[in-house]
Amino acid sequence: MPSAISTDVLIVGAGVAGLWLNARLRRQGFSTVLVESASLGGGQSVKSQGIIHGGAKYALHGALTGASEAIADMPRRWREALAGSGELDLTGVRLLSDAHYLWSPGTLAGNLTSFFASKAVRGRVDQVKGDQLPPALQHPKFKGKVYRLAELVIDVPSLIARLAELAGDGLLAGQKIEPLLDNGQLVGLRVDEREIRAQRIVLSAGAGNADLLDALGLSQPAMQKRPLHMVLVKGPSLKPLYAHCLGGGPKPRITVTTHPAADGQWVWYLGGDISEAEGVAREPAEQIATARKELGNLLPWIDLSQARWATLRVDRAEPLQSGLTRPDNAFLAEQDRLLVGWPTKLALAPDFADRVLASLQRDGIQPGHPPALPELPRPPMTQTAWEQLLP
Ligand code: FAD
């Protein structure tokens, strides 16, 4: 029988939300245990595009209302953390691009006029031309307009590796999670028969939160899953591109990010409208054909003859929402010792941690200095989708 453990905060789910929170808590002197049932970052986090949004994209359909939205401050907070001077020391995490771009492929001036009139965007967007263009767009045939957004793109595998370092001895590989009750009150969790008592329990298990709540006999907060069908392209002729390509509608027609494969080639990872509803309904071969055609139309000078293609189905997990617009804040619900939430975006992991810390502070929870942890079985790192699908 594994030994019983006491800790200040017990976190379930080692995606970016749990790992970031864990590192912030440890930095403030709290003891923590972070339980992961599969691999570190292997849920949505390492499958994300790594864009640290500042909200500019959402100004396209007027959903961003301005200063009240936490997302506007995220690029600054991440930049400071990456420089080692922020709330966490993320030096060593690879920055893939210092900016994300918005590119209109031709005749979408009308759409852009309202975009630039939006308060959320003013002062945060510059038009770029010539050799300032992203390398993949530097071609005489390129006709569109390109704007630089004050957002960044990070290499998520290196982020997860750094956050795992900051987790010290507190990571625990654990499969079976049950409530630990004292007089009917939740006081911790039983993880693979090991009792873990904690002042607070945080569920940050992404799509796994619903089942965990079920195991605790709770039905709230309700969760929704938004399926995506992403496309990956790998080829020797690809150059870096980090951009939303505008279509006529409120959502980017396609969002391209570029990721380094172990063999030195670049992988383009395609999301945006192409990966949503109609894309989800397509079979993989059809989805690849659609993406191939889209890239052929938008970037005809890119030689894709030797490219290899794959698709990836993945769900985004979020709190259930009634309206069509998504909040640009992390979500946290509280019930006695239990806190449950979703950052809703990788970029909003700092906001998720803020909300948990604010709750601890409000309830007067202090570091309790429990005994040192025994050696715990550690969950493995995850592999990226491109290494798995396009080795
Ligand atoms: P996850 O990363 O899903 O982590 C949850 C963890 O909990 C997993 O490791 C899982 O194994 C573990 N778990 C589940 N059940 C249990 C259990 N019972 N016990 C123990 N552990 C459990 N956001 C951005 O800001 N920018 C982007 O560019 C971006 N692009 C995206 C692209 C795609 C294709 C997708 C799907 C999402 C994207 N997002 C983006 C959103 C972002 O990825 C997520 O909001 C964020 O990663 C969620 O982090 P998380 O830690 O809550 O969840």
Side-chain angles (χ1 to χ4, degrees):
M1 176 85 102
S3 55
I5 297 177
S6 284
T7 188
D8 291 324
V9 184
L10 171 58
I11 308 168
V12 184
V16 70
L19 284 162
W20 189 290
L21 169 65
N22 183 60
R24 288 234 16 229
L25 287 166
R26 286 192 158 227
R27 198 167 177 170
Q28 298 201 4
F30 288 97
S31 68
T32 62
V33 173
L34 172 51
V35 185
E36 169 57 52
S37 60
S39 57
L40 302 171
Q44 300 154 84
S45 298
V46 168
K47 295 176 186 123
S48 81
Q49 293 192 280
I51 306 164
I52 305 303
H53 303 280
K57 181 174 85 164
Y58 306 97
L60 280 173
H61 52 99
L64 187 75
T65 51
S68 65
E69 300 284 0
I71 197 151
D73 202 27
M74 289 303 137
R76 178 192 65 79
R77 288 177 65 175
W78 281 82
R79 266 182 220 287
E80 287 178 5
L82 291 171
S85 58
E87 60 212 62
L88 293 179
D89 178 0
L90 297 186
T91 44
V93 173
R94 182 168 174 182
L95 183 66
L96 292 176
S97 178
D98 193 37
H100 195 64
Y101 294 83
L102 191 71
W103 132 57
S104 94
T107 53
L108 291 163
N111 193 326
L112 283 178
T113 310
S114 57
F115 176 68
F116 288 116
S118 145
K119 256 211 297 225
V121 160
R122 235 174 279 152
R124 296 202 279 151
V125 178
D126 300 307
Q127 189 172 358
V128 292
K129 294 182 177 165
D131 61 7
Q132 291 178 325
L133 289 171
L137 301 182
Q138 290 183 22
H139 191 275
K141 285 197 185 142
F142 178 68
K143 288 288 180 291
K145 286 193 171 149
V146 181
Y147 301 86
R148 186 180 201 277
L149 307 178
E151 302 185 342
L152 44 157
V153 187
I154 54 153
D155 177 55
V156 182
S158 67
L159 168 70
I160 298 295
R162 175 65 184 144
L163 291 173
E165 254 172 47
L166 295 176
D169 59 358
L171 295 175
L172 170 62
Q175 299 294 324
K176 192 168 148 217
I177 296 186
E178 295 160 306
L180 182 64
L181 304 174
D182 249 6
N183 296 325
Q185 295 287 316
L186 186 72
V187 292
L189 297 174
R190 188 173 286 113
V191 179
D192 294 339
E193 311 304 328
R194 186 197 296 270
E195 286 189 0
I196 308 180
R197 287 173 184 268
Q199 303 195 61
R200 286 292 178 273
I201 300 142
V202 181
L203 305 184
S204 59
N209 275 349
D211 284 348
L212 285 166
L213 285 169
D214 212 35
L216 299 180
L218 300 169
S219 58
Q220 293 293 329
M223 183 183 93
Q224 71 184 28
K225 288 204 243 176
R226 211 154 39 86
L228 296 172
H229 195 183
M230 305 292 285
V231 180
L232 296 90
V233 200
K234 181 174 175 182
S237 58
L238 294 183
K239 293 180 184 163
L241 180 59
Y242 300 92
H244 300 300
C245 175
L246 295 177
K251 283 190 188 155
R253 170 171 170 180
I254 196 163
T255 296
V256 186
T257 50
T258 312
H259 305 267
D263 61 6
Q265 290 189 22
W266 290 111
V267 177
W268 279 7
Y269 193 31
L270 313 178
D273 210 27
I274 193 170
S275 67
E276 301 208 9
E278 283 176 37
V280 172
R282 288 183 202 114
E283 289 303 317
E286 227 186 319
Q287 178 72 337
I288 288 171
T290 307
R292 190 190 277 273
K293 194 164 155 210
E294 186 77 332
L295 292 184
N297 286 335
L298 291 169
L299 306 163
W301 56 90
I302 305 277
D303 174 12
L304 294 170
S305 57
Q306 290 183 61
R308 292 163 60 218
W309 299 76
T311 71
L312 174 72
R313 291 190 186 274
V314 51
D315 291 337
R316 283 182 85 137
E318 304 166 330
L320 182 66
Q321 278 142 48
S322 44
L324 285 175
T325 56
R326 275 170 270 146
D328 280 316
N329 299 306
F331 174 92
L332 187 73
E334 306 175 40
Q335 191 177 324
D336 305 323
R337 281 182 196 226
L338 183 68
L339 305 162
V340 187
W342 296 268
T344 73
K345 283 187 179 57
L346 174 99
L348 285 163
D351 186 41
F352 180 77
D354 283 356
R355 284 164 198 267
V356 174
L357 287 162
S359 165
L360 298 187
Q361 195 177 20
R362 193 203 54 221
D363 292 354
I365 305 288
Q366 302 282 341
H369 309 292
L373 292 170
E375 196 171 323
L376 301 172
R378 213 172 153 87
M381 281 294 297
T382 192
Q383 234 197 347
T384 61
W386 31 99
E387 300 304 346
Q388 280 174 42
L389 299 168
L390 297 171

